[in-house]
Amino acid sequence: MGPIAITQLATGLSVLAGAVLIKSVLDQKPMAGGPFPRCPTCNGTGRVTCFCSRWSDGDIGCRRCSGSGRAACSNCGGTGTGTPLPVQITVRPPSRPF
């Protein structure tokens, strides 16, 4: 094996090791990061399969997905996080007729 082949092999192994390291970090931390959990609908990506990919003609692309076949998640709005919405619920005692 020549010096060029050894250099290419070393470069390939270092790229592979870097990819494994990044994958292990991403598996431990949510993709969206922050204090909020991943969106359960899109799993933190912010994108879901567009409705146009379900059409029977096999053609993918519409205005919603811009031809990519992936549209913004309607559950999280494309953020990838399942942000809780603050809601105030008030309960009043039932009024009694006289």
Side-chain angles (χ1 to χ4, degrees):
M1 236 191 302
I4 294 175
I6 293 174
T7 304
Q8 289 178 343
L9 180 64
T11 303
L13 288 175
S14 64
V15 168
L16 183 63
V20 169
L21 178 67
I22 290 173
K23 183 177 180 347
S24 67
V25 169
L26 288 178
D27 286 344
Q28 292 174 359
K29 293 182 83 177
M31 185 178 203
F36 301 114
R38 287 183 183 183
C39 172
T41 304
C42 65
N43 197 26
T45 62
R47 310 291 282 171
V48 293
T49 303
C50 187
F51 295 116
C52 68
S53 63
R54 299 180 189 155
W55 293 335
S56 62
D57 62 358
D59 191 21
I60 295 177
C62 67
R63 184 178 291 183
R64 182 174 180 235
C65 68
S66 301
S68 69
R70 307 275 297 162
C73 176
S74 60
N75 190 35
C76 65
T79 62
T81 59
T83 55
L85 297 175
V87 176
Q88 183 178 5
I89 299 174
T90 57
V91 178
R92 298 180 188 173
S95 60
R96 298 181 184 203
F98 295 106

